[in-house]
CSV table of all heavy atoms in Angstrom, one decimal:
chain,number,residue,atom,x,y,z
A,348,LEU,N,24.9,50.1,9.4
A,348,LEU,CA,24.1,51.1,10.1
A,348,LEU,C,23.0,50.4,10.9
A,348,LEU,O,22.8,50.6,12.1
A,348,LEU,CB,23.5,52.1,9.2
A,348,LEU,CG,22.6,53.2,9.8
A,348,LEU,CD1,23.4,54.0,10.8
A,348,LEU,CD2,22.1,54.1,8.7
A,349,GLU,N,22.3,49.4,10.2
A,349,GLU,CA,21.2,48.7,10.9
A,349,GLU,C,21.8,47.9,12.1
A,349,GLU,O,21.2,47.9,13.1
A,349,GLU,CB,20.6,47.7,9.8
A,349,GLU,CG,19.4,47.0,10.4
A,349,GLU,CD,18.6,46.3,9.3
A,349,GLU,OE1,19.1,46.1,8.2
A,349,GLU,OE2,17.4,45.9,9.6
A,350,ARG,N,23.0,47.3,11.9
A,350,ARG,CA,23.6,46.6,13.0
A,350,ARG,C,23.9,47.5,14.2
A,350,ARG,O,23.6,47.1,15.3
A,350,ARG,CB,24.9,46.0,12.4
A,350,ARG,CG,25.2,44.6,12.9
A,350,ARG,CD,26.4,44.0,12.2
A,350,ARG,NE,25.9,43.4,10.9
A,350,ARG,CZ,26.7,43.2,9.9
A,350,ARG,NH1,27.9,43.7,9.8
A,350,ARG,NH2,26.3,42.6,8.8
A,351,GLU,N,24.5,48.6,13.9
A,351,GLU,CA,24.8,49.5,15.0
A,351,GLU,C,23.6,50.0,15.7
A,351,GLU,O,23.5,50.1,16.9
A,351,GLU,CB,25.6,50.8,14.5
A,351,GLU,CG,26.9,50.4,13.8
A,351,GLU,CD,28.0,49.9,14.7
A,351,GLU,OE1,27.8,49.8,15.9
A,351,GLU,OE2,29.1,49.5,14.2
A,352,ILE,N,22.5,50.3,14.9
A,352,ILE,CA,21.2,50.7,15.5
A,352,ILE,C,20.7,49.6,16.4
A,352,ILE,O,20.2,49.8,17.5
A,352,ILE,CB,20.2,51.1,14.5
A,352,ILE,CG1,20.7,52.4,13.8
A,352,ILE,CG2,18.8,51.3,15.1
A,352,ILE,CD1,19.8,52.8,12.6
A,353,GLY,N,20.9,48.3,15.9
A,353,GLY,CA,20.5,47.2,16.7
A,353,GLY,C,21.2,47.1,18.0
A,353,GLY,O,20.6,46.9,19.1
A,354,SER,N,22.5,47.4,18.0
A,354,SER,CA,23.3,47.4,19.3
A,354,SER,C,22.7,48.4,20.3
A,354,SER,O,22.6,48.1,21.5
A,354,SER,CB,24.8,47.7,19.1
A,354,SER,OG,25.3,46.9,18.0
A,355,VAL,N,22.5,49.6,19.7
A,355,VAL,CA,21.9,50.7,20.6
A,355,VAL,C,20.6,50.2,21.2
A,355,VAL,O,20.4,50.4,22.4
A,355,VAL,CB,21.8,52.0,19.8
A,355,VAL,CG1,21.1,53.0,20.6
A,355,VAL,CG2,23.1,52.5,19.3
A,356,CYS,N,19.7,49.7,20.4
A,356,CYS,CA,18.4,49.2,20.9
A,356,CYS,C,18.6,48.1,21.9
A,356,CYS,O,17.9,48.2,22.9
A,356,CYS,CB,17.6,48.7,19.7
A,356,CYS,SG,17.0,49.9,18.6
A,357,ARG,N,19.5,47.2,21.7
A,357,ARG,CA,19.7,46.1,22.7
A,357,ARG,C,20.1,46.7,24.0
A,357,ARG,O,19.6,46.3,25.1
A,357,ARG,CB,20.7,45.1,22.2
A,357,ARG,CG,20.1,44.0,21.4
A,357,ARG,CD,21.1,42.9,21.2
A,357,ARG,NE,22.3,43.3,20.5
A,357,ARG,CZ,22.4,43.5,19.2
A,357,ARG,NH1,21.4,43.3,18.4
A,357,ARG,NH2,23.5,43.8,18.7
A,358,SER,N,21.1,47.6,24.0
A,358,SER,CA,21.6,48.1,25.3
A,358,SER,C,20.5,48.9,26.0
A,358,SER,O,20.3,48.9,27.2
A,358,SER,CB,22.8,49.0,25.1
A,358,SER,OG,22.5,50.3,24.9
A,359,LYS,N,19.6,49.6,25.2
A,359,LYS,CA,18.5,50.3,25.8
A,359,LYS,C,17.5,49.3,26.3
A,359,LYS,O,16.9,49.5,27.4
A,359,LYS,CB,17.8,51.2,24.7
A,359,LYS,CG,18.2,52.6,24.7
A,359,LYS,CD,18.2,53.2,26.1
A,359,LYS,CE,18.3,54.7,26.1
A,359,LYS,NZ,18.7,55.3,27.4
A,360,ALA,N,17.3,48.2,25.6
A,360,ALA,CA,16.4,47.1,26.1
A,360,ALA,C,16.8,46.6,27.5
A,360,ALA,O,16.0,46.4,28.3
A,360,ALA,CB,16.3,46.0,25.1
A,361,VAL,N,18.1,46.4,27.6
A,361,VAL,CA,18.7,45.9,28.9
A,361,VAL,C,18.3,46.9,30.0
A,361,VAL,O,17.8,46.6,31.1
A,361,VAL,CB,20.2,45.7,28.9
A,361,VAL,CG1,20.7,45.4,30.2
A,361,VAL,CG2,20.5,44.6,27.9
Side-chain angles (χ1 to χ4, degrees):
L348 178 59
E349 187 168 13
R350 217 169 276 151
E351 301 292 356
I352 291 173
S354 312
V355 173
C356 289
R357 270 194 301 282
S358 90
K359 265 308 193 202
V361 173

